[in-house]
Amino acid sequence: MKELVSRCPIEEVMQVLSGRWPTLLLYYLKDGTKRFSDLRRDNPTVSHKMLTQELRKLEKAGIVQRTTFEGYPLRVEYDLTPAGLGLVPLIDALGDWWEETEDARLGTGRLIERAVQAST
Amino acid sequence: MKELVSRCPIEEVMQVLSGRWPTLLLYYLKDGTKRFSDLRRDNPTVSHKMLTQELRKLEKAGIVQRTTFEGYPLRVEYDLTPAGLGLVPLIDALGDWWEETEDARLGTGRLIERAVQAST
DNA sequence: CGGTATCCTCGGAGATACTG
DNA sequence: CAGTATCTCCGAGGATACCG
């Protein structure tokens, strides 16, 4: 985890949400409680190590709640915290934006050729 | 750039926004046109290579517009596209959420100890 | 079952130098 | 000034094995 220069809140959230798994985990956890093994099944390509690591990161950030149940076999459940729940619609908004702007994003900048002007 | 399994829009945006620089560049570009060298000055720690690389990624995604001016010395300007402009408030919302929920995020899950229950 | 530790590898990212 | 190419290196992340 690389140190940040500034204390910019955007840098800080992105530090937590960056990468392939955080938002995916959010996505699966918004349906409700999931066990560790459930999350592995939801994301077949995540490695055992990465999953624990990313869940820990989200836990430390106060986005997910980890609950352990003693006994054998071991059992651990993950939920979104209230704060984490509030994050979900913001992530969804990003996904919506991505879809809605698809035409605009791929159109703009290809047809408009402002380039090749002479500078002083 | 790792391939995605699914075509989930959230995975796709995060692929573009993940990392340290994309949101920072968005932040600096929302003030208006910036030259390459301006952006280097804004982010003293980004390497020459990373900056071009990240700008290209944002350009391909249709978030920034790159305009070149022929002549010596070379001159290249970067702007947010209309679509990119629409992304800014969504990123800001994430930053706001991060600040607003700070207490909730750090409080929840430390005081509440649901753990240590017996399973069957 | 869930977590941690160890090892190993592969590619992301810096430094440097050259071109238009 | 902006971009690309080459080389290098460090560490993120996979595989494996063992513990509670």
Side-chain angles (χ1 to χ4, degrees):
Chain A
M1 186 100 38
K2 205 149 278 182
E3 292 309 317
L4 300 177
V5 240
S6 57
R7 274 276 152 205
C8 168
I10 295 180
E11 261 187 290
E12 295 185 0
V13 220
M14 288 314 293
Q15 180 117 5
V16 175
L17 298 183
S18 279
R20 190 171 181 181
W21 307 115
T23 52
L24 270 181
L25 294 178
L26 239 34
Y27 174 80
Y28 288 115
L29 285 172
K30 77 179 166 188
D31 294 337
T33 303
K34 294 268 187 174
R35 298 184 54 173
F36 185 85
S37 42
D38 294 330
L39 292 170
R40 290 215 71 184
R41 234 169 288 115
D42 290 334
N43 308 19
T45 60
V46 72
S47 74
H48 192 121
K49 192 173 99 177
M50 274 305 281
L51 185 53
T52 33
Q53 182 180 318
E54 297 295 290
L55 284 169
R56 286 283 187 286
K57 187 173 73 175
L58 293 174
E59 189 192 3
K60 240 177 288 183
I63 293 173
V64 310
Q65 162 82 30
R66 179 170 176 272
T67 312
T68 64
F69 298 85
E70 308 273 315
Y72 295 87
L74 238 50
R75 190 169 136 230
V76 179
E77 291 186 350
Y78 291 93
D79 297 275
L80 290 182
T81 62
L85 220 53
L87 178 55
V88 171
L90 303 184
I91 302 293
D92 285 341
L94 286 178
D96 293 342
W97 171 86
W98 183 257
E99 284 191 309
E100 288 164 7
T101 61
E102 180 158 3
D103 292 345
R105 283 186 296 103
L106 301 184
T108 310
R110 286 191 208 282
L111 302 177
I112 303 170
E113 286 289 341
R114 286 200 288 148
V116 192
Q117 306 181 8
S119 68
T120 48
Chain B
M1 184 98 42
K2 206 152 278 184
E3 293 308 319
L4 300 177
V5 239
S6 58
R7 275 274 153 205
C8 168
I10 295 180
E11 259 186 292
E12 295 186 0
V13 221
M14 289 313 294
Q15 179 117 2
V16 174
L17 299 182
S18 278
R20 189 173 182 180
W21 307 114
T23 52
L24 270 181
L25 294 178
L26 240 32
Y27 174 80
Y28 288 115
L29 285 172
K30 76 181 170 191
D31 294 338
T33 303
K34 294 269 186 171
R35 297 184 53 175
F36 186 84
S37 44
D38 293 330
L39 292 170
R40 290 214 71 181
R41 232 169 290 115
D42 290 334
N43 308 31
T45 61
V46 72
S47 73
H48 191 121
K49 193 175 95 176
M50 273 305 281
L51 185 53
T52 32
Q53 181 181 319
E54 297 294 291
L55 285 169
R56 287 283 187 286
K57 187 172 73 175
L58 293 174
E59 189 194 3
K60 241 176 289 183
I63 293 172
V64 311
Q65 162 83 27
R66 179 170 176 271
T67 311
T68 64
F69 299 84
E70 308 272 317
Y72 293 87
L74 238 51
R75 191 169 136 229
V76 179
E77 293 186 350
Y78 292 92
D79 297 276
L80 291 182
T81 62
L85 220 54
L87 178 57
V88 170
L90 302 184
I91 303 294
D92 285 342
L94 286 177
D96 293 342
W97 171 85
W98 183 258
E99 284 190 309
E100 289 164 7
T101 59
E102 180 158 1
D103 292 344
R105 282 186 298 103
L106 300 184
T108 310
R110 287 191 206 284
L111 303 177
I112 302 171
E113 286 289 341
R114 287 201 283 147
V116 193
Q117 306 181 6
S119 67
T120 48

